[in-house]
Amino acid sequence: MTQATLSALLAERPFIRFWLARLAAVLAQQMLMVAVAWQMYDLTGSAWDLGLVGLFQFVPALLLTLPAGHLVDKLRRGRIFALCMLAQGGVALLLVLATEGTFISRELILGLSILLGAARAFQMPSQQALLPMLVPMHLLERAVTLGSTGMQAGVICGPALGGLIYAAGPAWVYGVAGGLLLIAFGLMLSVHDPFLPSTEPTTLASVLAGVQFVWQNKLLLGATSLDLFAVLLGGATALLPIYARDILHTGPEGLGLLRAAPAAGALLMSLLLLRWPIQRKVGPWLLGSVAVFGLATVVFGLSEHFGLSLLALAITGAFDNISVVMRMTLVQLETPNEIRGRVSAVNSIFIGASNQLGEFESGATAALFGAVGSVVLGGVGTLAVAAGWFRLFPALARRDRMLP
């Protein structure tokens, strides 16, 4: 990013406050994930209950995302995002009270997990639909990239910070996370939201308008489905404990490095894209980055050397970040403002489904073919998807610039 472009982006004060709010939210959410998981395991000692925490957050998010997208297109998007921060901050403070008051329980944690999932169902489409309204269109790709940089920094730092604070007790983690979420709420109240609420009547057709728009726009269908199938097939996160212990012969510290490697690669790539954004051959870059992601997944699957495995995972994160930035920018540019919330909701479902179902796919194929067979097969499948999308979605493959 040139100095002039960076200065222009930093001059967009509403965007900077929104960016800071998102950074605070990511840090807080990552800290909550660490603390809730540890506390649940301390309470029950059950791996099943750990899985239920994720499931209880995923199901309400899946069920509510389409209605949430419709609401985002009818109301003030910035206010919806702010209320999501307030709701999650309230959950964190309830966890503080429950932990300090010794009435924390398995059932309470699962119930609050449902509330967190519901809040995030509204958070994702509101934040995606709000971003293009806070910067000029020629700065949108840089704004998306800067947003990705903050998210990856939060993904790296949040769990580490949560783990350090947890040594003083889970209530401290919940308290800090709640404070960050309330800061995010305050920042969002200061962001002027220029969106004019819609007066469109609520019908089944209007709720599903985002689905219909993506289905009819082959470029968007190709971009969003590409991420769904690539991550569904190529994700290896769920199998990292097996690789750490049985294949790479390392301990918990090594597992932590393996988990951090994709985010570190993504953060580095975000910084490179800020300086040197991709301006030509957007479609080939998008599909090519997915192919490199698949190839690096194959290398990781076959590697028995810890250093090579870290490098391969970092490459998967770096090239996945290229895909994310370019896909998110294309979705925002190709979508009319009046249905941007509903289209963002469809995109959120694809992202959530690919991550959650990807972990299930990895476990299922690992049970059949072993961990190495599962990861290698997934990487090869991702390569096949990238090649197939070149033929199935020629408008995407031929796209030259972000702005048509």
Side-chain angles (χ1 to χ4, degrees):
M1 182 183 294
T2 64
Q3 187 63 39
T5 303
L6 178 60
S7 299
L9 190 56
L10 294 178
E12 301 292 335
R13 299 302 181 190
F15 165 73
I16 295 301
R17 289 193 287 270
F18 170 65
W19 185 86
L20 289 171
R22 285 187 62 189
L23 176 60
V26 172
L27 282 169
Q29 289 160 356
Q30 292 294 321
M31 292 169 66
L32 283 175
M33 287 172 62
V34 168
V36 166
W38 273 107
Q39 190 168 37
M40 176 63 91
Y41 198 66
D42 282 342
L43 287 171
T44 69
S46 168
W48 171 255
D49 286 337
L50 284 179
L52 286 181
V53 170
L55 182 66
F56 275 49
Q57 292 186 43
F58 172 67
V59 170
L62 180 64
L63 295 177
L64 292 174
T65 297
L66 285 180
H70 184 264
L71 193 66
V72 165
D73 283 335
K74 290 184 70 68
L75 302 175
R76 294 280 183 182
R77 293 163 177 173
R79 294 296 179 262
I80 293 176
F81 184 81
L83 289 174
C84 291
M85 297 298 98
L86 183 62
Q88 291 174 73
V91 169
L93 295 180
L94 280 173
L95 285 166
V96 172
L97 295 175
T99 301
E100 289 294 290
T102 66
F103 59 89
I104 191 73
S105 66
R106 169 184 181 272
E107 289 71 24
L108 180 63
I109 290 177
L110 292 177
L112 293 178
S113 295
I114 294 174
L115 294 180
L116 287 174
R120 289 174 191 170
F122 288 84
Q123 176 189 333
M124 294 301 293
S126 63
Q127 72 182 27
Q128 290 180 27
L130 180 62
L131 175 58
M133 306 179 66
L134 302 180
V135 296
M137 282 295 106
H138 69 278
L139 293 177
L140 181 59
E141 182 181 356
R142 272 78 163 192
V144 171
T145 305
L146 189 60
S148 177
T149 303
M151 185 186 73
Q152 297 302 336
V155 168
I156 294 171
C157 297
L161 184 59
L164 288 173
I165 299 174
Y166 197 93
W172 285 95
V173 185
Y174 298 140
V176 173
L180 286 170
L181 288 161
L182 293 179
I183 289 172
F185 171 70
L187 284 168
M188 287 308 303
L189 290 182
S190 68
V191 174
H192 171 64
D193 182 354
F195 179 66
L196 296 176
S198 170
T199 58
E200 178 185 7
T202 300
T203 63
L204 180 60
S206 68
V207 171
L208 298 178
V211 177
Q212 182 182 19
F213 183 81
V214 170
W215 180 256
Q216 292 177 343
N217 188 316
K218 298 307 179 185
L219 186 142
L220 290 189
L221 180 62
T224 52
S225 61
L226 177 68
D227 177 76
L228 171 64
F229 287 102
V231 177
L232 177 64
L233 294 172
T237 303
L239 303 180
L240 288 182
I242 298 176
Y243 267 83
R245 188 186 66 183
D246 299 336
I247 296 173
L248 302 174
H249 307 294
T250 185
E253 299 82 1
L255 175 59
L257 290 174
L258 290 172
R259 285 191 175 276
L267 177 60
L268 177 60
M269 182 57 72
S270 292
L271 296 174
L272 293 175
L273 290 175
L274 281 172
R275 179 63 183 87
W276 296 288
I278 296 170
Q279 298 179 333
R280 301 295 303 271
K281 299 187 182 298
V282 168
W285 265 103
L286 174 58
L287 293 166
S289 66
V290 172
V292 175
F293 173 88
L295 182 60
T297 300
V298 172
V299 172
F300 170 75
L302 295 173
S303 172
E304 296 181 359
H305 187 275
F306 185 71
L308 178 60
S309 298
L310 280 180
L311 177 61
L313 287 174
I315 291 173
T316 65
F319 281 85
D320 182 55
N321 187 258
I322 294 177
S323 171
V324 167
V325 169
M326 300 183 75
R327 187 185 71 254
M328 294 295 295
T329 305
L330 282 173
V331 168
Q332 303 294 9
L333 289 173
E334 291 288 323
T335 305
N337 186 51
E338 59 270 17
I339 63 167
R340 195 170 273 141
R342 282 164 283 182
V343 171
S344 296
V346 175
N347 194 38
S348 297
I349 290 176
F350 277 29
I351 293 171
S354 63
N355 289 327
Q356 300 292 332
L357 293 179
E359 293 188 4
F360 173 75
E361 180 271 339
S362 295
T365 54
L368 292 173
F369 308 112
V372 173
S374 171
V375 174
V376 171
L377 185 63
V380 171
T382 301
L383 285 167
V385 167
W389 261 234
F390 264 103
R391 297 182 62 85
L392 290 174
F393 299 97
L396 178 63
R398 292 195 302 263
R399 184 64 174 253
D400 185 36
R401 295 180 182 273
M402 283 293 183
L403 288 169

